[in-house]
Amino acid sequence: MHRLIPTSLAGLLACVPALAPHAAPPPLALDQVRIVDIETGVSGSPRCVRIEQGRIVRVTRAGSRTCRRDAGIVELEGRYLMPGLIDMHAHLTLGPLEVRQDGDAVVGEALPDDAIADHNAARLVGFGLTTVRNPAGDLPAAMRYRERRARGAVTGPESFDAGTVINDADLPGLGTGVATVADVQRVVAAQVAAGADWIKLYTGLTPELLQAGIDAAHAHGRPAVAHLEDVAWTEALPMGLDGIVHLMPISPDLLASGDADAYRQARRPGTFGFFEWWERFDPDGPEADRMVAAFDRYRPVFDATLVAFHAAFVQDQDDSPYRADAERYAHPRLLGNWTSFFTFALGWEADDFARARAVWPKVQRMAARLYASGARMTLGTDMSNPWIAPGISLHREMDLLAGAGVPNARILAAGTRQAADALGAGDRLGRVAVGYEADLLVLDGDPLVDLAQARDAHAVVLDGRYLDRTELAALRGGE
């Protein structure tokens, strides 16, 4: 969720273990394993799961000879098996945000870095993530990552990719500026031709250009997802928008009329709206009711990325867990960028941080309401933005949602089957069932009871290959 130059930022101012090149993995039998049934919220009795050619081909009784025949057998002694996790907001290839002076102009760029992509990919798998949606970035870099992964040169999750965000200003590596409907149509067509799975629309677009982006995406058979600020969610969803990102719906038009006028007059440039808007919003008021009703009616794909905002709200505290995560797991170039310059709280003073933390219960309350709606709720982190380290941040997101009162089963569904369905891949990802791809987590305990079990997996099965704890630790950086 970079704030794009010049409309926003001008106001703000390894060694990666790799799988062997892709010979098909041998048959694998996971025996004596309990399947976590996210649909019913109940984990079953021990079973045997057989995997061939990277897919689940049999789920049968524990100890079945048919399941075990001619397979590599892993005796799992009653451990738990669930689908691999999906991060729907992971900027896999994004490089650090850099700003330079070009004459009188301030120029920004966030150029991709293949080394960062491979670093992120390994740590994602190390924390049990087997699929990501890359919601904005350089498409050639994304295609290069796909190629490296396909030939086994890097261990990483499958990636569904958008191109650069379509906005009112250019930011090389992250944003493409448009001024007319024809511009929007041209950019969308080019992104689709370059391999985009999604089209990402951004905060600087007028309602007319937002509508043009949605229509152009649909004309090419692609979903359109948006990060919105001044355009209200309740205005954008009837346009046919397929998805919304970030639980920061900070449009004045989503406030009661008196509060809306006061907010417009008092708001400051930059990210102060991340808390100033919430100070005027009632998550149990009629405006919130209208937002929930819109989610129920239009059922957008949604990822809250609570972790990105909570990390900003507490970044002034020495004991911030997000700083510790970043120091341990983020790529050094990104960490250096966040430490020296780029944060979402750029320009905040002590009082601003205190005000931000004071509104956090409102953010949690709204999250609980939206995750109880009929929308297509997923999990996302905004990985590669400040303090959001790969892999571990999805578990932080799960913890924040649980702290908001979202049930464990709902959180796990959002991070597996609902995300797979939202990606259009629900027929092959996100479930433990015959015919599905073998992207799986083996856990020591039941995550329906304790979400923390998913953070420290006993093993990960990625494309049918079994990665044990030692291999996962190496992927996380040799911890």
Side-chain angles (χ1 to χ4, degrees):
M1 185 195 54
H2 282 300
R3 312 272 300 175
L4 295 189
I5 292 173
T7 55
S8 298
L9 190 61
L12 291 180
L13 278 179
C15 243
V16 176
L19 298 175
H22 270 32
L28 179 67
L30 308 179
D31 206 359
Q32 299 288 341
V33 66
R34 302 175 186 270
I35 296 173
V36 178
D37 191 336
I38 294 167
E39 308 281 347
T40 65
V42 177
S43 297
S45 56
R47 308 282 280 169
C48 185
V49 176
R50 183 178 177 91
I51 297 164
E52 296 179 7
Q53 302 290 321
R55 288 187 179 267
I56 299 170
V57 298
R58 188 179 298 274
V59 179
T60 187
R61 63 177 178 79
S64 163
R65 291 183 179 178
T66 304
C67 180
R68 294 164 64 98
R69 183 177 296 122
D70 300 323
I73 300 166
V74 184
E75 301 284 2
L76 290 170
E77 301 173 337
R79 289 183 170 86
Y80 294 80
L81 188 69
M82 64 170 279
L85 292 166
I86 301 174
D87 187 339
M88 290 286 281
H89 207 117
H91 295 282
L92 186 67
T93 63
L94 195 62
L97 179 63
E98 297 177 345
V99 175
R100 57 185 171 81
Q101 197 78 22
D102 185 4
D104 294 333
V106 176
V107 178
E109 58 187 21
L111 300 181
D113 185 323
D114 289 355
I116 290 176
D118 292 354
H119 173 106
N120 288 338
R123 282 147 187 81
L124 288 164
V125 173
F127 280 103
L129 283 76
T130 56
T131 307
V132 297
R133 182 181 69 176
N134 177 5
D138 182 83
L139 277 170
M143 297 304 111
R144 291 196 300 273
Y145 167 76
R146 289 188 188 184
E147 186 276 332
R148 292 194 302 279
R149 182 180 184 275
R151 61 183 169 85
V154 59
T155 301
E158 180 179 1
S159 181
F160 292 76
D161 304 290
T164 52
V165 300
I166 300 174
N167 198 35
D168 61 342
D170 286 321
L171 181 71
L174 186 59
T176 300
V178 295
T180 68
V181 169
D183 289 343
V184 174
Q185 293 169 340
R186 172 183 52 79
V187 172
V188 169
Q191 290 190 354
V192 171
D197 300 304
W198 290 68
I199 301 300
K200 175 76 171 286
L201 308 171
Y202 210 69
T203 60
L205 297 180
T206 64
E208 178 190 21
L209 295 181
L210 180 66
Q211 183 70 73
I214 295 167
D215 293 344
H218 291 172
H220 288 278
R222 298 297 189 274
V225 62
H227 175 184
L228 300 173
E229 289 187 357
D230 276 2
V231 178
W233 292 3
T234 50
E235 179 184 357
L237 289 175
M239 295 179 181
L241 186 65
D242 301 286
I244 294 174
V245 300
H246 306 307
L247 186 49
M248 278 292 153
I250 58 176
S251 168
D253 294 333
L254 292 171
L255 297 172
S257 57
D259 286 324
D261 291 340
Y263 175 67
R264 285 189 182 95
Q265 293 171 10
R267 66 177 173 175
R268 298 174 280 173
T271 57
F272 301 99
F274 287 175
F275 59 87
E276 291 175 341
W277 185 90
W278 285 98
E279 289 175 331
R280 300 179 184 277
F281 181 76
D282 179 2
D284 289 300
E287 290 74 25
D289 292 345
R290 283 193 283 274
M291 289 166 60
V292 173
F295 269 52
D296 281 330
R297 178 176 181 181
Y298 296 105
R299 301 190 67 250
V301 175
F302 180 71
D303 56 282
T305 66
L306 294 181
V307 65
F309 301 104
H310 196 244
F313 288 7
V314 302
Q315 76 173 56
D316 63 324
Q317 299 182 332
D318 292 337
D319 61 350
S320 166
Y322 308 106
R323 283 182 174 269
D325 291 346
E327 289 168 358
R328 192 168 188 177
Y329 300 114
H331 190 278
R333 285 193 66 208
L334 291 176
L335 179 61
N337 189 228
W338 307 336
T339 303
S340 65
F341 160 60
F342 178 53
T343 78
F344 288 162
L346 197 61
W348 290 20
E349 303 291 345
D351 181 62
D352 298 315
F353 285 106
R355 290 169 65 185
R357 287 191 285 274
V359 302
W360 188 251
K362 289 187 175 185
V363 181
Q364 290 178 300
R365 172 60 184 149
M366 198 66 211
R369 293 199 66 187
L370 292 176
Y371 275 82
S373 77
R376 292 173 287 170
M377 310 308 289
T378 65
L379 304 181
T381 64
D382 215 3
M383 184 195 81
S384 292
N385 273 297
W387 314 116
I388 307 305
I392 191 170
S393 291
L394 191 76
H395 298 281
R396 300 282 188 200
E397 180 75 5
M398 294 165 69
D399 290 344
L400 290 170
L401 287 169
V406 182
N408 287 0
R410 182 73 162 151
I411 295 169
L412 292 171
T416 55
R417 63 173 176 81
Q418 288 178 194
D421 290 345
L423 291 169
D427 59 344
R428 64 180 181 87
L429 298 176
R431 291 164 173 82
V432 183
V434 172
Y436 279 74
E437 294 180 18
D439 290 338
L440 306 166
L441 302 188
V442 178
L443 309 177
D444 290 329
D446 189 344
L448 290 165
V449 177
D450 177 12
L451 282 176
Q453 295 296 329
R455 176 171 165 171
D456 184 21
H458 180 82
V460 170
V461 181
L462 181 68
D463 298 325
R465 289 171 165 81
Y466 189 89
L467 304 172
D468 63 21
R469 264 209 171 100
T470 300
E471 293 166 294
L472 298 180
L475 288 167
R476 293 195 295 263
E479 59 187 25

